[in-house]
């Protein structure tokens, strides 16, 4: 079989067996006869809550690295924490990835469906002496910890069971036999060279008493089986990396390259959390942010390309370099995100914005099919809306009659002097057959000229009558969007308001 056939066979094998545990540890997917390695990255969230914006940034950088190098982006759900993992959290992850637009090429793979594979590897490690059973009691382990703390030393297991024969039928954990000497060198693509001494690492538990595998072990098996070549993740995982490398090397696996991203901080310098505002990606959707705005903002948290602020996805892929990511943490700036969101609302395709606006209108009890097209609404409101929630709320008047006039606007503009302009406008609108913006603008101008007043003396009372407040798009746009019947009905309401005001003066 020639080399080309070998490569094709390898690709087919990997596609058919991905996540099954049948892929040899040495398998690296190759793209063709030139022998170049296919970059394979992964995003591996734990489904124990919402999808955090920090997790989305990690997924984004991992996705960009794969896309830039023509690679493969894998989604893996690390759900081995059976007590905290929930189906709702899994759905939140999948929904968030879909909304934000980070399409994955393979997966989602679930660790809970791979327990048999983990058990096979653990048994192999026990047979080869790479791991051992430990039945040390919780009380003994607590005592070791207390002694270390009193001596101001890092708590670590003392290896008591390394040389003991523990009954497999008794309650026990399985520990990895970590090397006693030497260093683990992590050539990190963000942080640079980081060295860990094996003397600082203890014998990690890889299987709990209940038989379930632990995080650091399952990650090793998964990354090898799924042929992950580059791991992009938060720097809170940096201390896990030497443990994982040691397990990989003991098993004869080739460790991936690592890139540990600095954390995201709130405005007060503390780690970003709920007290700083929304941190769930789906909360940003609920709050009326566009996915492209959030993605654009997150890519600039720790990475930059000169002074450029706005990037298309294509530009991100072309320009992004993981080695240009800053080592220092970045502070989340909600005002900057709001600015970007307004930019995308103003500059985006009105049809796309209308599609995203629709559910926000629905939450207000508005059926957008019962009135003017949402695309027209977007065109009218995009210059004055920072979020889709604002746009929906500010556009309520187009589809729904309001209960009351804004008191300040009514006091200023719905005075007895406004009665005649409103009556004249009502009569003109009743007879208007051409309901276009241009024709309506000319109509307001004509009534103003006929009354001998400037256009504002007619337009502002009319605006308050039709909208209920003093702010809206241009008067011609406003009349066009609201429609004839609603305009006439609301002008009647304004005239009644003025008459009542006169009677009680």
């Amino acid at each position: 079989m020639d080399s080309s056939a070998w490569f094709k066979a390898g690709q087919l094998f990997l596609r058919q067996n991905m996540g099954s545990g049948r892929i040899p540890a040495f398998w690296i997917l190759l793209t063709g006869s030139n022998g170049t390695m296919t970059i394979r990255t992964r995003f591996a969230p734990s489904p124990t809550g919402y999808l955090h914006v920090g997790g989305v940034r990690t997924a984004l950088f991992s996705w960009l690295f794969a896309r830039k190098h023509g690679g493969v982006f894998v989604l893996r759900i690390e759900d081995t924490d059976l007590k905290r993992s929930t189906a709702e959290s899994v759905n939140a992850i999948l929904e968030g990835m879909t909304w934000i637009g980070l399409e994955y090429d393979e997966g989602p793979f679930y660790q809970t469906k791979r327990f048999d594979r983990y058990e096979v590897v653990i048994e192999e490690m026990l047979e080869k002496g790479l791991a051992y059973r430990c039945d040390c009691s919780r009380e003994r382990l607590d005592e070791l910890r207390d002694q270390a703390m009193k001596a101001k030393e890092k708590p670590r297991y003392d290896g008591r069971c390394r040389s003991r024969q523990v009954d497999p039928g008794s309650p026990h954990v399985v520990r990895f036999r970590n090397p006693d000497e030497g260093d683990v060198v992590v050539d990190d693509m963000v942080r640079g060279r980081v060295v860990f001494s094996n003397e600082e690492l203890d014998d990690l538990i890889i299987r709990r008493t209940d038989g379930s595998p632990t995080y650091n072990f399952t990650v090793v098996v998964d990354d090898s089986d799924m042929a992950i070549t580059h791991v992009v993740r938060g720097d809170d995982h940096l201390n896990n990396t030497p443990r994982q490398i040691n397990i990989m090397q003991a098993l004869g696996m080739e460790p991936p390259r690592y890139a540990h991203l600095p954390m995201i901080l709130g405005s007060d310098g503390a780690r970003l959390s709920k007290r700083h505002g929304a941190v769930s990606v789906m909360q940003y959707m609920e709050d009326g942010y566009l996915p492209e705005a959030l993605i654009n903002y997150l890519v600039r948290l720790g990475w930059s390309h000169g002074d450029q602020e706005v990037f298309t996805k294509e530009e991100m892929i072309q320009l992004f370099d993981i080695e240009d990511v800053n080592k220092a943490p970045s502070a989340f700036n909600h005002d900057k995100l709001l600015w970007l969101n307004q930019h995308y609302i103003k500059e985006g395709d009105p049809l796309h914005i209308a599609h995203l606006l629709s559910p926000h209108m629905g939450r207000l009890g508005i059926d957008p099919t019962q009135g003017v097209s949402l695309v027209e609404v977007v065109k009218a409101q995009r210059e004055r809306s920072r979020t889709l929630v604002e746009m929906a709320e500010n556009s309520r008047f187009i589809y729904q009659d309001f209960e009351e006039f804004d008191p300040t606007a009514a006091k200023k503009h719905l005075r007895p002097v406004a009665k005649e302009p409103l009556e004249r406008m009502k009569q003109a609108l009743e007879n208007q057959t051409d309901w276009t913006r241009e024709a309506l603008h000319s109509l307001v101008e004509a009534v103003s000229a006929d009354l001998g007043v400037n256009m504002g003396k007619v337009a502002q009372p009319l605006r308050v009558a039709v909208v209920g407040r003093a702010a809206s798009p241009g008067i011609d746009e406003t009349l066009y969007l609201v429609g004839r019947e609603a305009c006439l009905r609301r002008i009647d309401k304004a005239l009644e308001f003025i008459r009542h005001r006169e009677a009680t003066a």
Side-chain angles (χ1 to χ4, degrees):
M1 184 182 293
D2 62 22
S3 60
S4 177
W6 275 111
F7 291 128
K8 290 179 181 178
Q11 290 173 329
L12 177 62
F13 178 76
L14 187 55
R15 285 195 298 270
Q16 292 175 340
N17 294 280
M18 183 57 57
S20 68
R22 293 191 293 271
I23 300 171
F26 59 80
W27 222 182
I28 299 288
L29 180 63
L30 302 178
T31 58
S33 57
N34 60 3
T36 57
M37 179 175 64
T38 293
I39 300 297
R40 294 177 59 85
T41 68
R42 46 80 161 177
F43 177 51
S46 298
T48 56
Y50 51 79
L51 182 57
H52 192 283
V53 292
V56 174
R57 186 191 64 164
T58 298
L60 172 62
F61 284 13
S62 184
W63 181 86
L64 286 173
F65 188 81
R67 289 291 176 267
K68 182 179 180 67
H69 297 282
V72 176
F73 179 60
V74 178
L75 177 62
R76 184 170 76 224
I77 307 297
E78 298 190 338
D79 55 349
T80 54
D81 188 340
L82 301 179
K83 292 182 179 179
R84 298 175 61 211
S85 297
T86 65
E88 291 77 14
S89 294
V90 171
N91 290 335
I93 292 169
L94 300 179
E95 186 180 8
M97 293 291 284
T98 299
W99 179 73
I100 209 70
L102 296 181
E103 68 278 7
Y104 39 94
D105 305 299
E106 295 175 7
F109 300 117
Y110 296 86
Q111 288 186 329
T112 48
K113 296 181 179 180
R114 290 172 44 78
F115 274 24
D116 289 346
R117 166 61 175 159
Y118 304 139
E119 186 62 23
V120 167
V121 177
I122 288 174
E123 289 301 320
E124 289 177 355
M125 294 177 70
L126 287 169
E127 291 175 8
K128 295 178 180 179
L130 302 176
Y132 60 92
R133 295 180 175 86
C134 170
D135 62 359
C136 288
S137 66
R138 170 53 56 188
E139 290 75 19
R140 181 176 188 276
L141 296 176
D142 288 342
E143 183 179 349
L144 286 176
R145 175 177 290 276
D146 290 342
Q147 291 174 355
M149 298 296 286
K150 289 178 182 179
K152 297 182 179 181
E153 297 175 351
K154 183 178 179 180
R156 60 195 304 272
Y157 180 62
D158 62 358
R160 172 176 176 265
C161 291
R162 275 189 168 197
S163 57
R164 296 177 63 240
Q165 292 296 320
V166 175
D167 180 5
S170 66
H172 67 275
V173 299
V174 174
R175 293 181 180 272
F176 168 63
R177 191 184 296 271
N178 194 78
D180 295 321
E181 301 175 343
D183 296 325
V184 182
V185 178
V186 181
D187 184 17
D188 194 273
M189 292 185 291
V190 173
R191 300 176 62 93
R193 181 184 172 90
V194 185
V195 180
F196 298 87
S197 171
N198 277 318
E199 293 181 355
E200 298 296 319
L201 306 175
D202 59 359
D203 291 350
L204 182 74
I205 294 175
I206 59 175
R207 188 175 69 191
R208 303 180 183 92
T209 306
D210 64 3
S212 62
T214 59
Y215 165 77
N216 278 300
F217 171 72
T218 58
V219 167
V220 165
V221 177
D222 290 345
D223 284 346
S224 178
D225 284 356
M226 298 176 188
I228 301 302
T229 62
H230 294 77
V231 172
V232 180
R233 59 187 180 186
D235 64 3
D236 54 329
H237 287 285
L238 181 60
N239 287 333
N240 291 326
T241 303
R243 302 175 183 275
Q244 294 170 12
I245 289 177
N246 277 341
I247 297 175
M248 284 186 174
Q249 291 178 336
L251 291 170
M253 301 172 176
E254 182 69 24
R257 291 289 308 279
Y258 292 93
H260 289 91
L261 308 177
M263 69 177 65
I264 301 176
L265 306 178
S267 56
D268 57 358
R271 185 165 189 165
L272 188 67
S273 65
K274 284 185 178 180
R275 64 190 177 89
H276 297 109
V279 291
S280 163
V281 63
M282 297 312 292
Q283 185 61 52
Y284 282 98
M285 183 192 74
E286 296 287 336
D287 291 345
Y289 287 85
L290 273 60
E292 49 265 45
L294 185 57
I295 281 288
N296 194 149
Y297 181 71
L298 290 177
V299 81
R300 292 281 284 108
L301 272 182
W303 174 83
S304 63
H305 180 72
D307 296 328
Q308 185 172 344
E309 295 287 352
V310 179
F311 297 85
T312 64
K313 269 191 177 179
E314 291 71 22
E315 288 176 320
M316 293 181 202
I317 293 170
Q318 178 185 357
L319 300 172
F320 181 78
D321 190 334
I322 195 70
E323 295 186 0
D324 289 338
V325 173
N326 295 333
K327 298 179 182 179
S330 300
F332 199 98
N333 186 325
H334 283 89
D335 290 337
K336 189 63 170 291
L337 172 58
L338 202 57
W339 175 84
L340 272 171
N341 202 56
Q342 187 171 26
H343 166 83
Y344 278 99
I345 288 176
K346 288 167 60 177
E347 302 297 328
D349 178 3
L351 183 61
H352 171 64
I353 305 300
H355 174 73
L356 297 175
L357 175 64
S358 181
H360 294 283
M361 302 299 286
R363 292 187 186 99
L364 298 178
I366 295 171
D367 181 354
T369 64
Q370 304 302 308
V372 70
S373 165
L374 272 185
V375 173
E376 298 295 331
V377 174
V378 170
K379 290 178 180 178
Q381 297 282 37
R382 59 185 174 184
E383 292 289 337
R384 61 184 70 241
S385 302
R386 297 180 300 171
T387 70
L388 296 178
V389 169
E390 275 187 14
M391 183 179 287
E393 187 61 45
N394 291 339
S395 303
R396 186 195 288 260
F397 75 90
I398 299 171
Y399 299 92
Q400 294 177 338
D401 287 349
F402 46 87
E403 293 294 327
E404 297 178 350
F405 296 104
D406 174 72
T408 302
K411 182 178 180 180
K412 182 176 181 180
H413 297 291
L414 297 185
R415 297 178 294 150
V417 69
K419 187 194 305 186
E420 184 177 8
L422 287 176
E423 289 174 338
R424 294 284 294 275
M425 280 304 310
K426 178 187 175 186
Q427 182 181 11
L429 292 172
E430 284 176 331
N431 298 323
Q432 181 68 20
T433 57
D434 183 11
W435 201 267
T436 62
R437 297 173 182 82
E438 296 76 16
L440 293 168
H441 183 83
S442 297
L443 196 65
V444 177
E445 278 188 329
V447 170
S448 302
D450 202 31
L451 291 172
V453 298
N454 65 51
M455 193 171 172
K457 296 293 185 181
V458 176
Q460 273 306 96
L462 182 59
R463 187 190 312 277
V464 176
V466 172
V467 180
R469 58 179 186 269
S472 78
I475 191 61
D476 51 350
E477 188 80 58
T478 298
L479 296 174
Y480 170 77
L481 293 172
V482 172
R484 183 198 313 276
E485 296 304 318
C487 284
L488 296 176
R489 185 171 61 247
R490 296 176 192 181
I491 291 173
D492 280 338
K493 179 177 181 178
L495 289 170
E496 179 61 31
F497 178 90
I498 294 173
R499 285 192 285 269
H500 178 76
R501 185 173 179 177
E502 285 180 316
T504 56

